[in-house]
Amino acid sequence: MAEDFSCQVKKMALALGTSLTDKDIDLLPSDMRHHAAFNYSKFFEYMQQFQTPSEQQEQVRKAFQLLDKDNSGFIEWNEIKYILSTVPSTMPVVPLSDEEAEAIIQAADTDGDGRIDFQEFSDLVTKEKIPKKK
């Protein structure tokens, strides 16, 4: 279970343009786990400390483009599952479950359309605004 958590955290960090060591993961706050599940909102908030604002904006755009595989302008759960299963890892790849992919979508989907547009993604990872369901 701990290896699965570590692998998923490393994949998410890579998708955001940052890499984390095992030591970095050991130092993650415990509130990133919520009822034995990974708390994506807390993770995005935590990752901000590793980047300057200009680096962060550039990385947000790159991460969004990386996740938006079909260039539709939206990130959907199947794209999240695909990209996180193909991110290079030193550990065996553990594919995201449908529930984990949906949790990522729900963490950012403020308009309730079941997908993430760039503004929702940016708001989530930069925490300039607290996403609220409409």
Side-chain angles (χ1 to χ4, degrees), residues 77-124:
W77 72 271
N78 58 327
E79 291 171 316
I80 290 171
K81 284 186 69 164
Y82 172 77
I83 194 66
L84 294 181
S85 70
T86 60
V87 171
S89 174
T90 58
M91 299 178 67
V93 173
V94 178
L96 285 181
S97 68
D98 290 348
E99 292 80 20
E100 289 169 322
E102 186 62 30
I104 295 172
I105 296 290
Q106 288 178 0
D109 181 23
T110 59
D111 63 11
D113 66 355
R115 55 193 186 170
I116 302 169
D117 63 30
F118 178 74
Q119 190 59 53
E120 289 170 328
F121 183 76
S122 180
D123 289 348
L124 178 70

Side-chain angles (χ1 to χ4, degrees), residues 1-133:
M1 177 76 129
E3 286 182 9
D4 292 349
F5 175 78
S6 177
C7 184
Q8 295 301 330
V9 170
K10 285 180 180 181
K11 286 185 210 178
M12 288 299 298
L14 284 171
L16 293 172
T18 304
S19 62
L20 296 176
T21 66
D22 288 332
K23 183 177 178 180
D24 293 329
I25 292 171
D26 289 340
L27 297 173
L28 292 174
S30 62
D31 63 353
M32 284 195 200
R33 290 179 186 249
H34 181 67
H35 303 293
F38 184 56
N39 186 321
Y40 294 94
S41 295
K42 291 286 184 184
F43 176 74
F44 291 135
E45 186 177 315
Y46 179 78
M47 289 303 295
Q48 291 180 35
Q49 69 182 313
F50 296 105
Q51 299 173 335
T52 66
S54 62
E55 289 174 326
Q56 188 177 58
Q57 187 60 32
E58 181 182 332
Q59 293 303 323
V60 168
R61 176 65 64 187
K62 285 181 182 178
F64 184 83
Q65 291 169 341
L66 179 70
L67 292 168
D68 181 17
K69 297 299 287 177
D70 63 1
N71 297 314
S72 66
F74 298 96
I75 300 169
E76 292 141 333
W77 72 271
N78 58 327
E79 291 171 316
I80 290 171
K81 284 186 69 164
Y82 172 77
I83 194 66
L84 294 181
S85 70
T86 60
V87 171
S89 174
T90 58
M91 299 178 67
V93 173
V94 178
L96 285 181
S97 68
D98 290 348
E99 292 80 20
E100 289 169 322
E102 186 62 30
I104 295 172
I105 296 290
Q106 288 178 0
D109 181 23
T110 59
D111 63 11
D113 66 355
R115 55 193 186 170
I116 302 169
D117 63 30
F118 178 74
Q119 190 59 53
E120 289 170 328
F121 183 76
S122 180
D123 289 348
L124 178 70
V125 299
T126 62
K127 287 294 185 188
E128 289 175 4
K129 295 185 235 172
I130 304 296
K132 293 182 181 175
K133 292 282 181 190

